[in-house]
């Protein structure tokens, strides 16, 4: 019995040393996605040093044990691995290169992982700026939404120097179920843009189909069941149905609150449109999806989940 207790004490000591040896991770951007992502780092034993432009957004993570600082530069002064999760390209540029930005106090050798969804060209610009300061920048946008962020089941699409992928993967696996290396800087953003264009097209198609079926007298739950056992099945019909009352635990069951905002989907489709124009790539359905989500933003749907396209088509049309 004494040997067993001794073994247990040794194991506990090793575990404690392992936890203590984990160096702090900086996290900037504590919105709907950033907060649960940072919380999962804490759960894996990483001390987190964080900041957000809105101080009230920091309270939840502070209560979970994170250290909160005033600005990105202060975070860069304390951590040599930093993750950013921000709403747009201008936010990323400000956080990295602004007067109180990361690059003002960055240490040589720092690993920078940006999980924002932004223009691939901006990711490349940030990588160049970071390299001049002796740091490494990788883009690692995510797929999966708030639910997957909370459950650490996100998919990360990573672009950057391949030799640094393992170092990034160590942190990203604490927050996601899939971490995929896509190629050079910007390729993670490219993969994310392609995924979200297809997601938007699929959601609009599902919304149209459900609306037509309901107007033809079909019960929506029955129609969804048939679709999901037939060739029309897709993620939007099976996992994220846009019709209220068909599924529980999705935004359509909560007046389209939470989830992935229409405004953000319109932004991502704008990136797809821009890159398609620059590469002379025809995206007729992607362009139409962009027009629809932009129209939704002008009619009061900006902050609703993107699945509210069902409500938009049903009540307002185009």
């Amino acid at each position: 019995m004494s040997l067993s207790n001794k073994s247990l004490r040794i194991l506990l000591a090793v575990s404690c040393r392992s936890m203590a040896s984990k160096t702090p991770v900086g996290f900037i951007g504590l919105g709907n996605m950033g907060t649960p992502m940072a919380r999962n780092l804490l759960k894996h034993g990483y001390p987190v040093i964080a900041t957000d432009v809105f101080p009230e957004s920091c309270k939840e993570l502070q209560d979970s044990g994170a250290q909160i600082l005033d600005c990105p530069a202060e975070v860069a002064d304390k951590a040599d691995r930093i993750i950013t999760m921000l709403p747009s390209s201008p936010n990323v540029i400000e956080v990295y290169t602004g007067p109180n930005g990361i690059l003002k106090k960055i240490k040589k050798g720092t690993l920078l992982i940006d999980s924002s969804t932004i223009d691939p060209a901006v990711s490349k610009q940030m990588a160049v700026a970071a390299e001049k300061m002796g740091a490494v920048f990788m883009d690692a946008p995510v797929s999966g939404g708030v639910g997957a962020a909370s459950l650490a089941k996100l998919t990360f699409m990573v672009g950057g120097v391949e030799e640094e992928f393992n170092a990034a993967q160590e942190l990203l696996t604490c927050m996601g179920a899939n971490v995929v290396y896509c190629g050079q800087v910007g390729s993670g953003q490219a993969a994310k843009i392609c995924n979200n264009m297809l997601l938007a097209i699929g959601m609009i198609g599902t919304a149209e189909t459900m609306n037509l079926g309901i107007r033809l007298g079909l019960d929506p739950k029955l129609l969804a069941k048939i679709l999901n056992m037939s060739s029309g099945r897709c993620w939007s019909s099976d996992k994220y149905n846009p019709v209220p009352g068909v599924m529980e635990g999705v935004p359509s069951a909560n007046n389209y609150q939470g989830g992935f905002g229409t405004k953000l989907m319109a932004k991502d489709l704008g990136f797809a449109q821009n890159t398609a124009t620059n590469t002379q790539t025809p995206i007729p359905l992607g362009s139409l999806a962009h027009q629809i989500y932009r129209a939704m933003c002008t009619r009061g749907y900006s902050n609703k989940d993107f699945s509210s396209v069902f409500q938009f088509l049903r009540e307002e049309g185009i």
Side-chain angles (χ1 to χ4, degrees):
M1 180 65 70
S2 60
L3 181 61
S4 175
N5 288 338
K6 182 179 179 182
S7 299
L8 181 59
R9 286 196 300 273
I10 292 171
L11 286 171
L12 286 171
V14 169
S15 176
C16 289
R17 282 199 299 273
S18 175
M19 295 279 277
S21 69
K22 290 184 176 178
T23 58
V25 177
F27 205 106
I28 301 169
L30 301 176
N32 290 337
M33 294 291 290
T35 294
M37 289 168 66
R39 193 187 305 115
N40 282 324
L41 288 171
L42 288 167
K43 288 179 181 176
H44 280 80
Y46 288 94
V48 171
I49 301 171
T51 193
D52 191 277
V53 68
F54 299 108
E56 62 273 17
S57 298
C58 301
K59 187 179 186 309
E60 183 180 339
L61 196 67
Q62 188 173 30
D63 291 343
S64 297
Q67 179 183 357
I68 304 300
L69 299 179
D70 289 335
C71 67
E74 291 186 10
V75 173
D77 190 45
K78 301 287 186 182
D80 59 9
R81 292 180 293 178
I82 301 171
I83 298 167
T84 51
M85 186 57 158
L86 304 161
S88 67
S89 296
N91 296 124
V92 170
I93 293 169
E94 176 68 17
V95 162
Y96 279 89
T97 65
N100 295 308
I102 291 170
L103 297 183
K104 290 296 180 184
K105 290 192 176 182
I106 197 166
K107 305 168 188 173
K108 286 188 177 180
T110 295
L111 175 62
L112 303 167
I113 303 171
D114 181 39
S115 288
S116 318
T117 298
I118 60 173
D119 188 328
V122 173
S123 292
K124 293 175 183 178
Q125 291 169 16
M126 296 303 100
V128 170
E131 186 178 13
K132 289 178 180 177
M133 303 300 293
V136 175
F137 177 97
M138 306 186 83
D139 59 305
V142 304
S143 178
V146 176
S150 298
L151 297 171
K153 291 186 177 181
L154 292 168
T155 291
F156 288 89
M157 294 154 270
V158 184
V161 180
E162 188 170 8
E163 289 75 16
E164 299 291 341
F165 177 65
N166 286 341
Q169 189 176 31
E170 175 194 335
L171 298 178
L172 299 181
T173 51
C174 298
M175 302 177 286
N178 303 293
V179 182
V180 183
Y181 181 70
C182 299
Q184 63 184 358
V185 169
S187 60
Q189 299 293 351
K192 174 65 185 289
I193 289 169
C194 291
N195 177 78
N196 276 21
M197 183 175 74
L198 180 58
L199 176 62
I201 293 168
M203 180 56 77
I204 293 169
T206 300
E208 287 183 352
T209 298
M210 294 297 296
N211 189 34
L212 177 61
I214 291 167
R215 291 189 179 186
L216 290 172
L218 291 171
D219 176 79
K221 285 188 177 181
L222 175 65
L223 178 56
K225 181 179 178 181
I226 292 169
L227 292 175
N228 293 332
M229 61 174 62
S230 305
S231 56
R233 178 181 175 273
C234 66
W235 186 85
S236 294
S237 68
D238 189 31
K239 303 293 185 184
Y240 211 83
N241 199 284
V243 181
V246 170
M247 294 181 68
E248 294 298 323
V250 294
S252 62
N254 188 34
N255 195 30
Y256 300 105
Q257 299 304 303
F260 184 60
T262 293
K263 179 169 59 177
L264 294 176
M265 178 57 86
K267 178 199 75 170
D268 291 358
L269 289 168
F271 293 145
Q273 185 68 70
N274 292 340
T275 53
T277 299
N278 293 338
T279 58
Q280 298 183 340
T281 304
I283 54 164
L285 293 181
S287 295
L288 182 56
H290 186 211
Q291 292 175 38
I292 290 171
Y293 277 102
R294 286 180 65 193
M296 290 174 66
C297 288
T298 67
R299 300 193 199 177
Y301 291 81
S302 290
N303 296 321
K304 291 191 174 186
D305 180 73
F306 81 107
S307 63
S308 64
V309 67
F310 171 79
Q311 186 181 51
F312 174 70
L313 293 174
R314 187 169 175 81
E315 297 181 3
E316 300 193 39
I318 54 174

